[in-house]
Amino acid sequence: MKKYTLVSVVLITVILFSAILLPQPVPMRSIQTDANQISENLLIGMNSSNRGLCASSTYMMGELCCKRGVVPLLSLLHNAKCEDIRILAALSLCKIGDARGIFAVKRAAVYDESDRVKRLCNLFYKASIAGKIPSSSILEKG
């Protein structure tokens, strides 16, 4: 009889505590990212030695039309060893729509050592002049 009473008391205690504690939602961490944090993280990614991270950060900088990325993108366009990074930098500069970037893409279409980069920079430049590349800023403070 004592065992039955002990088991029933433990069972009732567990049921009561679970009924009290489980229906309450678990508080989730509030994650709010602002434009400055996003652009800062992208700038860090662009300076990474990881080629994939650098490429994706370069592309996202253009997708978000972040004006803070113009000078680092110019540096990548002129100094990156990888053709793909230079192409992504040119595309991002055209998407941002800054005059310095578009001029640099125009010059890269003439003076880059890679024929592939020259050809794509020429296409990006012509598309940006024709207005076929949208350059609207998603980030307000970028």
Side-chain angles (χ1 to χ4, degrees):
M1 190 70 153
K2 287 183 180 183
K3 288 183 182 179
Y4 178 71
T5 308
L6 182 63
V7 169
S8 63
V9 168
V10 169
L11 187 60
I12 291 173
T13 307
V14 168
I15 291 172
L16 286 175
F17 278 117
S18 65
I20 292 170
L21 296 177
L22 288 182
Q24 297 176 357
V26 177
M28 295 194 61
R29 213 175 85 192
S30 174
I31 301 174
Q32 294 188 1
T33 54
D34 61 346
N36 289 330
Q37 183 180 5
I38 292 171
S39 60
E40 191 65 35
N41 287 339
L42 290 175
L43 289 171
I44 291 169
M46 284 172 50
N47 293 326
S48 172
S49 60
N50 182 342
R51 196 179 305 176
L53 177 61
C54 181
S56 64
S57 297
T58 302
Y59 177 76
M60 286 307 297
M61 191 67 76
E63 281 295 308
L64 298 175
C65 294
C66 183
K67 300 276 187 194
R68 288 178 61 186
V70 172
V71 175
L73 286 169
L74 289 171
S75 175
L76 283 176
L77 179 63
H78 296 304
N79 301 324
K81 294 177 183 174
C82 179
E83 287 181 356
D84 298 328
I85 302 293
R86 292 198 309 267
I87 291 168
L88 284 171
L91 176 62
S92 293
L93 286 167
C94 287
K95 283 185 177 183
I96 291 172
D98 187 73
R100 297 173 293 175
I102 292 175
F103 181 75
V105 172
K106 177 183 176 183
R107 301 311 291 166
V110 176
Y111 294 112
D112 196 89
E113 66 255 7
S114 167
D115 289 334
R116 179 177 172 223
V117 175
K118 283 182 186 179
R119 182 175 49 84
L120 288 172
C121 283
N122 189 25
L123 288 174
F124 296 153
Y125 175 71
K126 287 179 181 178
S128 65
I129 293 301
K132 294 184 179 179
I133 297 179
S135 61
S136 60
S137 179
I138 294 173
L139 297 177
E140 294 83 23
K141 299 177 184 177

